[in-house]
Amino acid sequence: PLYEGAVKAVQIALAGPQPAKLKGVLWHQGEADCSDPGLRSSYAQRFIELYRDLTCDLSLDPALPWILGELGSYLQQFYHSDGWLRLNRVFRDIAAACPNMAVASAEGCVDLGDGLHFDTPSQQLLGRRYAEKWLEYTRRMGRGFSLE
């Protein structure tokens, strides 16, 4: 149901009375996966499958930029393991293998005290890093910045 709901929401946005244009995907997911060795080891395969399915089901440009956001190091204390670090390596490996993907660093980001979510300044910092990676990609691809 989550996948189908996400696809439907994007389809509605793209076909609305003032149709949206999908310019890229900001991906931030994996907190629960980092604590489970099985989910962690299958993450890359599951992510690439999701990427392919979304690209097909939404008829996306295969060159559409995807920016993957790292998990925060504070998860070490929350999960008592280095799974977050291992999953961040998976993100970097995926991006290295896919020319339309990049990774936004979460270095220096802190949680809001719950051991799970970024605090507001960290969200803002990560947002700037997502933007920087997207701009780097679009410049590299000769697309530049455009809201068209």
Side-chain angles (χ1 to χ4, degrees):
L2 287 175
Y3 178 84
E4 291 81 7
V7 168
K8 186 71 172 166
V10 173
Q11 288 171 331
I12 289 169
L14 296 175
Q18 293 181 315
K21 268 190 135 174
L22 191 60
K23 296 291 213 166
V25 176
L26 304 182
W27 182 261
H28 200 93
Q29 188 278 334
E31 287 83 353
D33 297 274
C34 78
S35 66
D36 182 312
L39 291 175
R40 208 171 46 235
S41 67
S42 66
Y43 193 94
Q45 177 185 350
R46 291 181 295 118
F47 176 84
I48 294 300
E49 184 176 311
L50 175 77
Y51 163 77
R52 288 181 180 147
D53 289 347
L54 284 172
T55 299
C56 179
D57 293 344
L58 294 170
S59 302
L60 301 177
D61 178 352
L64 187 77
W66 283 61
I67 314 301
L68 289 63
E70 285 185 339
L71 304 177
S73 61
Y74 55 80
L75 291 170
Q76 173 79 34
Q77 297 165 355
F78 187 74
Y79 287 116
H80 305 292
S81 81
D82 68 348
W84 64 275
L85 183 60
R86 292 172 187 243
L87 205 49
N88 284 349
R89 285 188 199 122
V90 170
F91 298 154
R92 288 191 295 276
D93 290 345
I94 291 169
C98 302
N100 63 314
M101 296 190 191
V103 177
S105 171
E107 184 176 346
C109 292
V110 298
D111 70 297
L112 58 78
D114 65 353
L116 189 58
H117 300 97
F118 293 110
D119 69 1
T120 299
S122 295
Q123 290 176 31
Q124 293 166 339
L125 176 61
L126 192 56
R128 284 191 297 277
R129 290 176 177 169
Y130 272 116
E132 289 166 2
K133 291 296 181 180
W134 186 78
L135 288 170
E136 284 175 19
Y137 172 79
T138 57
R139 286 185 194 115
R140 189 175 72 242
M141 298 305 292
R143 295 181 182 187
F145 177 74
S146 168
L147 294 176
E148 298 298 317

